[in-house]
Amino acid sequence: MYERKIPELLDCGLAVALKVIGGKWKAWILDCINRGVARPSAIHREMQEVAPRIINMHLKELEEYGILYKEVYAESPARVEYRFTEVGKSLLPVLATLETWGNTHKEFIHRNIEIYQPGTCRFLPQ
Amino acid sequence: MYERKIPELLDCGLAVALKVIGGKWKAWILDCINRGVARPSAIHREMQEVAPRIINMHLKELEEYGILYKEVYAESPARVEYRFTEVGKSLLPVLATLETWGNTHKEFIHRNIEIYQPGTCRFLPQ
DNA sequence: GCCCACAGGGAAAAATTTTTCCCTGCCACC
DNA sequence: GGTGGCAGGGAAAAATTTTTCCCTGTGGGC
């Protein structure tokens, strides 16, 4: 386990929210589970681009925060499904808000990045 | 300048939104500007914990995305103020949503992190 | 026995972000 | 001339996150 050297500032609600959803692949994982893709192997199949190890780490982190919980069926070999806790469910509309904002403005942002010249004032149409 | 080796996936609105707000101190910076703390030196004074260099980098990044723009007064020495663009303003309610969610659930999340035992099913009251 | 799918994690490397240190230049004040 | 506030950035170090590689164990099918 990695041990932080600089303590985190987590008083602020925004900082907490960003810690929870901020991992590189967490949003995609949450979207999978929201669509019913709940088993680790199924998530791995959907997210070919991402190594299973990483997905497992994110799942564990989300479980640790209480966003997801693990349903472990007493079969052999054990079958596992991840589900949202109530707090996890409350996160979904927040993610939808972010997604909507991003989709609305992504062309604007991409265009700005392309044409950016430090110091130049640019007023692109939104 | 750092040059990425792995290309970013920025089709998804959520990914774009997280790229824009995801830096370590960006939310705080945006909050400063929202409260009228607009000059670099004023932001530096408010954010004692953070090295000026970092704040400058975040400011530049937000300017590059078109979230902020720079008003440079033709004085000498030049006076600079950062302001929100229209797109930047549209981000504020989104940040407020995140902040509210985080404040509502941060105790829950902190408690979960403390008591977390892998594999243990826990159903804390929200 | 061998190979497959399944769930999972340790250790180290690589990539990325954050931080520190120190530099530029402008002007004002004493 | 020295000191201070202002705006800003290069280079390297440190911290953190992501990734790769390889390992554990279970059971099923052939």
Side-chain angles (χ1 to χ4, degrees):
Chain A
M1 256 291 267
Y2 179 74
E3 198 169 324
R4 331 196 120 257
K5 298 187 182 164
I6 298 177
E8 288 180 290
L9 297 173
L10 289 176
D11 303 323
C12 163
L14 203 30
V16 172
L18 287 173
K19 179 184 174 67
V20 169
I21 65 175
K24 185 159 178 184
W25 306 106
K26 286 214 207 104
W28 191 355
I29 291 173
L30 292 172
D31 187 52
C32 282
I33 295 171
N34 192 33
R35 291 195 323 274
V37 179
R39 301 185 56 180
S41 53
I43 300 174
H44 298 163
R45 261 192 303 274
E46 168 162 337
M47 300 175 66
Q48 302 277 345
E49 296 91 329
V50 189
R53 178 85 223 271
I54 308 169
I55 297 172
N56 292 344
M57 288 174 63
H58 282 323
L59 284 168
K60 189 170 174 180
E61 199 184 331
L62 290 165
E63 193 199 353
E64 180 178 351
Y65 299 157
I67 303 299
L68 300 176
Y69 70 95
K70 224 156 106 173
E71 194 78 67
V72 183
Y73 291 91
E75 304 169 3
S76 188
R79 182 160 61 95
V80 171
E81 293 186 9
Y82 283 94
R83 305 190 198 292
F84 288 108
T85 63
E86 287 307 310
V87 170
K89 285 178 193 161
S90 75
L91 190 53
L92 296 176
V94 178
L95 291 174
T97 304
L98 280 172
E99 164 84 3
T100 300
W101 186 89
N103 280 323
T104 305
H105 299 294
K106 69 180 172 191
E107 278 82 16
F108 172 83
I109 291 169
H110 290 327
R111 211 154 11 113
N112 266 282
I113 292 174
E114 280 167 28
I115 66 169
Y116 180 67
Q117 301 287 345
T120 311
C121 275
R122 298 142 305 121
F123 291 95
L124 287 182
Q126 324 151 32
Chain B
M1 256 286 268
Y2 180 73
E3 197 170 326
R4 341 195 113 255
K5 298 186 182 165
I6 297 176
E8 288 180 291
L9 297 172
L10 290 176
D11 304 322
C12 163
L14 203 29
V16 172
L18 287 173
K19 178 182 174 69
V20 169
I21 65 176
K24 184 160 180 184
W25 306 106
K26 285 213 207 105
W28 193 354
I29 292 173
L30 292 172
D31 187 53
C32 283
I33 295 170
N34 192 33
R35 291 194 323 272
V37 180
R39 301 185 55 178
S41 53
I43 300 173
H44 297 164
R45 260 191 305 274
E46 168 162 338
M47 298 175 66
Q48 302 278 346
E49 296 91 328
V50 189
R53 178 85 224 269
I54 306 168
I55 297 171
N56 293 343
M57 288 175 63
H58 282 323
L59 284 169
K60 188 170 174 181
E61 199 184 329
L62 290 165
E63 194 199 353
E64 180 179 350
Y65 299 156
I67 302 300
L68 300 177
Y69 71 93
K70 225 157 106 173
E71 195 78 68
V72 182
Y73 292 91
E75 305 170 2
S76 188
R79 183 161 58 95
V80 171
E81 292 187 9
Y82 283 94
R83 305 191 199 293
F84 288 107
T85 61
E86 288 306 310
V87 171
K89 284 177 193 161
S90 75
L91 190 53
L92 296 175
V94 178
L95 290 174
T97 303
L98 279 173
E99 165 84 3
T100 301
W101 185 90
N103 279 324
T104 305
H105 299 294
K106 70 180 172 193
E107 280 82 15
F108 172 84
I109 291 168
H110 290 328
R111 213 155 8 114
N112 267 281
I113 292 174
E114 280 167 28
I115 67 170
Y116 179 68
Q117 302 286 344
T120 311
C121 275
R122 297 141 306 120
F123 291 94
L124 288 180
Q126 329 151 28

